[in-house]
Amino acid sequence: MNEKIDLRSLLPYEISDILKKNGMEGYRAGQIVSWLERGARSFEEMTNLSKEHRKRLSELFEISNMAECESLTSKIDGTVKFLFTLPDGNYVESVLLSYKHGYSVCLSTQVGCKMGCRFCASTKAGFERNLSAGEILLQMVEITREERKKQPDFRIGHVVLMGIGEPLDNYDNVMRFLRLCNCKELFGIGYRNISLSTCGLIPEIRRLMTEEIPITLSISLHASNPALRSELMPINRRYPLEELMEVCKEYTVKTGRRISFEYALIAGVNDTEKTKSELIHLLSGWMNHLNLIPINPTKETTYRPGDRKKLEQFAASLQKAGINATIRRTLGADIQAACGQLRREKQLR
Ligand code: SAH
């Protein structure tokens, strides 16, 4: 027996090809995918397909599902954190954020993370496995399903790959996910409404340039010089800051899209006068945007944010020097749903 293929990881044309090869009508792929988008978890629910069709389909495909979904809502800002249990017992977390312009979801791409950034909770329990494209998409499906119980016309507008894991370390599955998420029969999210954040895997950033997938690329910068960056982010020893900046510039030239840098301020570590001038030097004169955030505390580190006024002054002096810097709002802090606070262990509180 061949192993069954997960229907959630396939694009409509791929499903259509398989159907045709097996003597079924290709257009049924559209019907099937539309069921998946509306939250169907089994072939039995696809009632516009005959019993015979459903039986044939279940011989060819499987439909991956979460084993369990729990959620927690922030009392401060309504952000919802979802804890999903995968069928193999692993956990991933996703976050639903509500903005003036609509809903964004922050998705996980791996169970755990190998990158070891000192300030991030997601990496503390190590790496377990990659998520498949279907499992990344399934987080959106489940969030949509839950929210539509309360708001029938609920729609996700933006997707950010900033949950647990390093998306570019799971390159093929993430690229497939991007295509699925963009496809009009599924969520139809425009590439410009999708952001992918990376700690800076240079070969994969190069590969991404050739994909013609015009998403927004975010780079986790967090330090303005190589020594500090290597201390905070071990990946810098493999892919040094200087080379990373070169490839980022190349990316903007090749794609015409600016790079967005994330920079979490840690009091006394990366918020000094010296840091400021190094940042100005790194970012002046080319297409980029700097997102400043106060570091979110995690229980394993002593890294703490500075006071708000200092953050505002830091932003203001960068802006004065011509840097396109803004302060990003922190959402979901009371439910440990903010950047760098998601974990792969069950810890929903
Ligand atoms: N692995 C990817 C995406 C996941 S993390 C990456 O490194 O970009 C999403 C963002 O949260 C990254 O910018 C990450 O550096 C940041 N982050 C991690 N821990 C944080 C913390 N404690 N406070 C604020 N931001 C943090």
Side-chain angles (χ1 to χ4, degrees):
M1 258 307 271
N2 290 336
E3 209 171 292
K4 291 186 199 170
I5 317 166
D6 180 14
L7 205 51
R8 295 197 193 276
S9 288
L10 296 177
L11 286 151
Y13 80 89
E14 294 171 322
I15 300 176
S16 171
D17 285 351
I18 298 175
L19 293 180
K20 282 191 266 182
K21 265 191 212 128
N22 286 277
M24 281 176 273
E25 301 100 330
Y27 74 86
R28 299 218 176 265
Q31 294 175 323
I32 294 169
V33 167
S34 138
W35 279 109
L36 294 180
E37 194 267 341
R38 283 178 281 150
R41 290 176 176 159
S42 68
F43 293 109
E44 283 68 55
E45 291 169 55
M46 305 185 179
T47 47
N48 58 355
L49 300 170
S50 70
K51 264 208 169 121
E52 178 55 27
H53 274 126
R54 283 184 259 156
K55 184 168 168 286
R56 295 282 313 277
L57 289 171
S58 61
E59 286 159 7
L60 292 169
F61 304 103
E62 62 171 13
I63 302 177
S64 64
N65 285 306
M66 296 293 182
E68 212 185 323
C69 161
E70 294 165 73
S71 67
L72 195 65
T73 305
S74 162
K75 292 195 178 66
I76 309 174
D77 50 47
T79 297
V80 191
K81 178 162 82 169
F82 291 86
L83 173 78
F84 293 113
T85 312
L86 296 156
D88 63 3
N90 279 308
Y91 301 107
V92 287
E93 295 187 324
S94 330
V95 184
L96 172 65
L97 304 133
S98 168
Y99 292 100
K100 275 199 290 291
H101 58 259
Y103 288 102
S104 286
V105 289
C106 176
L107 307 178
S108 295
T109 53
Q110 296 180 316
V111 177
C113 184
K114 296 175 204 160
M115 300 299 137
C117 298
R118 299 277 177 260
F119 42 78
C120 182
S122 301
T123 200
K124 297 297 173 203
F127 173 78
E128 182 63 33
R129 68 168 176 92
N130 281 328
L131 293 181
S132 70
E135 287 173 324
I136 305 173
L137 192 78
L138 185 52
Q139 299 166 59
M140 290 171 77
V141 172
E142 287 294 318
I143 292 173
T144 303
R145 187 186 164 100
E146 282 304 306
E147 292 306 305
R148 281 188 186 161
K149 290 180 189 163
K150 296 175 258 171
Q151 311 172 58
D153 58 352
F154 172 86
R155 281 202 78 79
I156 293 170
H158 290 78
V159 172
V160 299
L161 297 182
M162 295 193 188
I164 300 167
E166 166 50 52
L168 294 186
D169 185 43
N170 183 13
Y171 191 89
D172 293 337
N173 290 339
V174 166
M175 289 307 125
R176 174 168 280 276
F177 160 76
L178 294 173
R179 295 193 165 96
L180 287 168
C181 178
N182 173 252
C183 112
K184 64 178 190 318
E185 293 88 344
L186 278 158
F187 289 90
I189 313 271
Y191 286 128
R192 287 179 163 69
N193 293 334
I194 305 178
S195 299
L196 180 156
S197 180
T198 176
C199 62
L201 304 189
I202 291 178
E204 284 75 17
I205 297 173
R206 284 233 155 75
R207 242 179 112 185
L208 183 62
M209 283 183 219
T210 65
E211 301 279 356
E212 301 198 7
I213 296 183
I215 51 164
T216 300
L217 182 62
S218 292
I219 305 279
S220 297
L221 185 61
H222 305 310
S224 53
N225 65 65
L228 180 60
R229 196 162 190 271
S230 293
E231 196 184 309
L232 295 175
M233 303 175 68
I235 195 67
N236 196 69
R237 294 182 206 137
R238 184 134 145 237
Y239 300 121
L241 184 59
E242 202 175 310
E243 271 174 51
L244 179 62
M245 297 313 276
E246 280 315 305
V247 79
C248 285
K249 288 178 192 166
E250 209 178 309
Y251 185 92
T252 61
V253 173
K254 275 236 169 83
T255 64
R257 313 222 1 109
R258 70 177 177 179
I259 299 257
S260 181
F261 288 99
E262 288 146 283
Y263 194 95
L265 278 102
I266 311 172
V269 176
N270 65 0
D271 65 348
T272 60
E273 283 304 314
K274 176 170 171 275
T275 318
K276 223 184 279 174
S277 46
E278 285 169 347
L279 273 179
I280 295 169
H281 176 73
L282 283 179
L283 302 178
S284 288
W286 58 288
M287 268 209 304
N288 57 57
H289 174 249
L290 180 65
N291 242 317
L292 300 170
I293 29 176
I295 191 95
N296 296 308
T298 58
K299 64 173 194 246
E300 292 87 354
T301 69
T302 53
Y303 297 141
R304 293 295 173 261
D307 65 44
R308 185 74 196 178
K309 210 162 149 225
K310 188 145 188 224
L311 172 63
E312 281 162 13
Q313 282 166 355
F314 195 89
S317 49
L318 289 173
Q319 286 156 359
K320 219 168 134 200
I323 302 299
N324 191 355
T326 49
I327 299 176
R328 193 205 274 161
R329 248 182 357 145
T330 298
L331 293 172
D334 59 329
I335 53 168
Q336 303 284 306
C339 302
Q341 294 186 316
L342 303 183
R343 296 170 184 271
R344 53 164 273 227
E345 310 118 306
K346 184 160 186 166
Q347 207 177 66
L348 196 69
R349 65 191 142 75

